[in-house]
Amino acid sequence: QVQLVESGGGLAQPGGSLRLSCAASGFTFSAYAMNWVRQAPGKGLEWVSGIYSDASDSYYADFVKGQFTISRDNAKNTLYLQMNSLKPEDTGTYYCAKATSGTVAVGSIIEETDYWGQGTQVTVSS
């Protein structure tokens, strides 16, 4: 069955960095776009970034442009999110999400997601 397992979260200081990973299994990873979605404490889901199945294109929410970088290794079935210059408002649970197609459906990410990971907690605090 489809499994998405995130790792790499933890406590970081403001201005610090973390690298999230998402290990995928149970489907042809290279055929599907992937997204990172986060949820801050007490708030709803918020799309962060997405990448095409072949990594030919990627997209970012305005609030992380220039700060986060999404990438994938289709040979290793793994999705990544490099997070730099972290801010307290980046605190939340970060989820890896599998899209239903090979492209990123910006504007309808949640509707076009069929599987979610369990999430990894990111806390940015001094």
Side-chain angles (χ1 to χ4, degrees):
Q1 73 276 21
V2 173
Q3 285 196 315
L4 299 170
V5 180
E6 300 96 334
S7 61
L11 176 65
Q13 292 193 337
S17 297
L18 286 174
R19 189 193 194 202
L20 306 184
S21 298
C22 171
S25 62
F27 66 102
T28 305
F29 182 71
S30 60
Y32 295 93
M34 297 294 295
N35 292 281
W36 287 100
V37 177
R38 72 185 185 187
Q39 186 169 31
K43 297 192 176 181
L45 294 172
E46 183 176 53
W47 173 73
V48 174
S49 181
I51 187 167
Y52 274 25
S53 58
D54 61 0
S56 60
D57 210 350
S58 56
Y59 298 87
Y60 298 89
D62 286 344
F63 54 80
V64 299
K65 281 182 180 176
Q67 183 187 356
F68 291 2
T69 302
I70 191 171
S71 62
R72 65 191 295 162
D73 185 337
N74 285 347
K76 295 183 178 180
N77 290 350
T78 303
L79 176 72
Y80 303 100
L81 186 69
Q82 177 66 44
M83 305 188 297
N84 298 329
S85 304
L86 284 165
K87 310 167 188 175
E89 51 263 43
D90 294 320
T91 293
T93 302
Y94 284 70
Y95 298 94
C96 169
K98 174 190 170 293
T100 57
S101 73
T103 58
V104 177
V106 178
S108 59
I109 297 296
I110 307 302
E111 295 83 353
E112 298 296 326
T113 293
D114 55 2
Y115 289 95
W116 299 83
Q118 84 289 348
T120 186
Q121 178 66 38
V122 171
T123 302
V124 184
S125 174
S126 55

Short mmCIF file of all heavy atoms in Angstrom, two decimals, residues 31-35 97-103 105 108-115:
data_model
loop_
_atom_site.label_atom_id
_atom_site.label_comp_id
_atom_site.label_asym_id
_atom_site.label_seq_id
_atom_site.Cartn_x
_atom_site.Cartn_y
_atom_site.Cartn_z
N ALA A 31 6.12 8.93 -11.17
CA ALA A 31 4.97 9.26 -12.03
C ALA A 31 4.07 10.35 -11.44
O ALA A 31 3.13 10.80 -12.12
CB ALA A 31 4.14 8.01 -12.29
N TYR A 32 4.34 10.77 -10.22
CA TYR A 32 3.42 11.68 -9.54
C TYR A 32 4.13 12.91 -8.98
O TYR A 32 5.24 12.82 -8.45
CB TYR A 32 2.70 10.96 -8.41
CG TYR A 32 1.80 9.88 -8.92
CD1 TYR A 32 2.27 8.57 -9.01
CD2 TYR A 32 0.50 10.16 -9.34
CE1 TYR A 32 1.46 7.57 -9.51
CE2 TYR A 32 -0.31 9.17 -9.85
CZ TYR A 32 0.16 7.88 -9.94
OH TYR A 32 -0.64 6.89 -10.44
N ALA A 33 3.43 14.04 -9.10
CA ALA A 33 3.89 15.23 -8.43
C ALA A 33 3.75 15.04 -6.93
O ALA A 33 2.95 14.22 -6.46
CB ALA A 33 3.07 16.44 -8.88
N MET A 34 4.56 15.78 -6.19
CA MET A 34 4.53 15.70 -4.73
C MET A 34 4.50 17.10 -4.16
O MET A 34 5.04 18.05 -4.75
CB MET A 34 5.77 14.96 -4.22
CG MET A 34 5.88 13.51 -4.67
SD MET A 34 4.61 12.44 -4.01
CE MET A 34 4.99 12.48 -2.24
N ASN A 35 3.89 17.21 -3.00
CA ASN A 35 3.77 18.50 -2.36
C ASN A 35 4.14 18.42 -0.88
O ASN A 35 4.07 17.34 -0.27
CB ASN A 35 2.32 19.00 -2.45
CG ASN A 35 1.92 19.35 -3.86
OD1 ASN A 35 2.26 20.41 -4.37
ND2 ASN A 35 1.18 18.46 -4.50
N ALA A 97 2.66 15.06 0.66
CA ALA A 97 1.38 14.73 0.04
C ALA A 97 1.58 14.29 -1.41
O ALA A 97 2.27 14.97 -2.16
CB ALA A 97 0.46 15.94 0.09
N LYS A 98 0.96 13.19 -1.75
CA LYS A 98 1.07 12.66 -3.11
C LYS A 98 -0.07 13.23 -3.98
O LYS A 98 -1.24 13.14 -3.62
CB LYS A 98 0.97 11.13 -3.09
CG LYS A 98 0.92 10.50 -4.48
CD LYS A 98 0.59 9.03 -4.39
CE LYS A 98 0.29 8.43 -5.76
NZ LYS A 98 -0.97 8.99 -6.34
N ALA A 99 0.31 13.77 -5.11
CA ALA A 99 -0.69 14.29 -6.03
C ALA A 99 -1.32 13.16 -6.85
O ALA A 99 -0.80 12.04 -6.91
CB ALA A 99 -0.06 15.31 -6.96
N THR A 100 -2.42 13.46 -7.50
CA THR A 100 -3.09 12.45 -8.32
C THR A 100 -2.61 12.47 -9.77
O THR A 100 -3.06 11.65 -10.58
CB THR A 100 -4.62 12.67 -8.30
OG1 THR A 100 -4.88 14.01 -8.76
CG2 THR A 100 -5.18 12.49 -6.90
N SER A 101 -1.69 13.37 -10.09
CA SER A 101 -1.12 13.43 -11.44
C SER A 101 0.35 13.83 -11.36
O SER A 101 0.88 14.02 -10.28
CB SER A 101 -1.89 14.45 -12.28
OG SER A 101 -1.57 15.77 -11.88
N GLY A 102 0.94 13.98 -12.52
CA GLY A 102 2.36 14.32 -12.56
C GLY A 102 2.67 15.80 -12.44
O GLY A 102 3.83 16.19 -12.37
N THR A 103 1.63 16.62 -12.40
CA THR A 103 1.83 18.06 -12.33
C THR A 103 1.29 18.62 -11.03
O THR A 103 0.45 18.00 -10.36
CB THR A 103 1.17 18.77 -13.52
OG1 THR A 103 -0.23 18.46 -13.52
CG2 THR A 103 1.78 18.30 -14.83
N ALA A 105 -0.98 21.00 -9.11
CA ALA A 105 -2.24 21.71 -9.33
C ALA A 105 -2.34 22.88 -8.36
O ALA A 105 -3.12 22.85 -7.41
CB ALA A 105 -3.41 20.76 -9.16
N SER A 108 -5.40 24.00 -6.12
CA SER A 108 -6.29 22.90 -5.75
C SER A 108 -5.48 21.71 -5.23
O SER A 108 -5.80 20.56 -5.52
CB SER A 108 -7.18 22.48 -6.91
OG SER A 108 -6.38 22.07 -8.02
N ILE A 109 -4.44 22.05 -4.48
CA ILE A 109 -3.53 21.00 -3.99
C ILE A 109 -4.26 19.98 -3.13
O ILE A 109 -4.10 18.77 -3.31
CB ILE A 109 -2.37 21.63 -3.18
CG1 ILE A 109 -1.53 22.55 -4.08
CG2 ILE A 109 -1.52 20.54 -2.55
CD1 ILE A 109 -0.83 21.85 -5.20
N ILE A 110 -5.06 20.46 -2.18
CA ILE A 110 -5.72 19.56 -1.26
C ILE A 110 -6.67 18.63 -2.01
O ILE A 110 -6.70 17.41 -1.76
CB ILE A 110 -6.48 20.33 -0.17
CG1 ILE A 110 -5.56 21.35 0.53
CG2 ILE A 110 -7.12 19.38 0.84
CD1 ILE A 110 -4.35 20.74 1.17
N GLU A 111 -7.41 19.19 -2.94
CA GLU A 111 -8.39 18.39 -3.70
C GLU A 111 -7.71 17.36 -4.58
O GLU A 111 -8.28 16.32 -4.88
CB GLU A 111 -9.25 19.32 -4.57
CG GLU A 111 -10.13 20.28 -3.78
CD GLU A 111 -9.41 21.53 -3.34
OE1 GLU A 111 -8.18 21.63 -3.52
OE2 GLU A 111 -10.09 22.44 -2.81
N GLU A 112 -6.48 17.68 -5.02
CA GLU A 112 -5.75 16.80 -5.94
C GLU A 112 -4.76 15.92 -5.20
O GLU A 112 -3.82 15.39 -5.80
CB GLU A 112 -5.03 17.64 -6.99
CG GLU A 112 -5.96 18.46 -7.87
CD GLU A 112 -6.89 17.60 -8.71
OE1 GLU A 112 -6.47 16.51 -9.13
OE2 GLU A 112 -8.04 18.02 -8.94
N THR A 113 -4.92 15.77 -3.88
CA THR A 113 -4.06 14.89 -3.08
C THR A 113 -4.82 13.63 -2.70
O THR A 113 -5.96 13.73 -2.25
CB THR A 113 -3.60 15.61 -1.80
OG1 THR A 113 -2.74 16.68 -2.15
CG2 THR A 113 -2.84 14.66 -0.88
N ASP A 114 -4.17 12.47 -2.89
CA ASP A 114 -4.86 11.24 -2.50
C ASP A 114 -4.19 10.50 -1.34
O ASP A 114 -4.82 9.61 -0.74
CB ASP A 114 -5.05 10.30 -3.70
CG ASP A 114 -3.76 9.96 -4.43
OD1 ASP A 114 -2.68 10.41 -4.00
OD2 ASP A 114 -3.85 9.25 -5.45
N TYR A 115 -2.95 10.85 -1.03
CA TYR A 115 -2.30 10.22 0.13
C TYR A 115 -1.46 11.26 0.88
O TYR A 115 -0.85 12.14 0.27
CB TYR A 115 -1.40 9.06 -0.30
CG TYR A 115 -2.19 7.86 -0.78
CD1 TYR A 115 -2.43 7.68 -2.15
CD2 TYR A 115 -2.69 6.93 0.12
CE1 TYR A 115 -3.16 6.59 -2.59
CE2 TYR A 115 -3.42 5.84 -0.33
CZ TYR A 115 -3.65 5.68 -1.68
OH TYR A 115 -4.38 4.60 -2.12
#
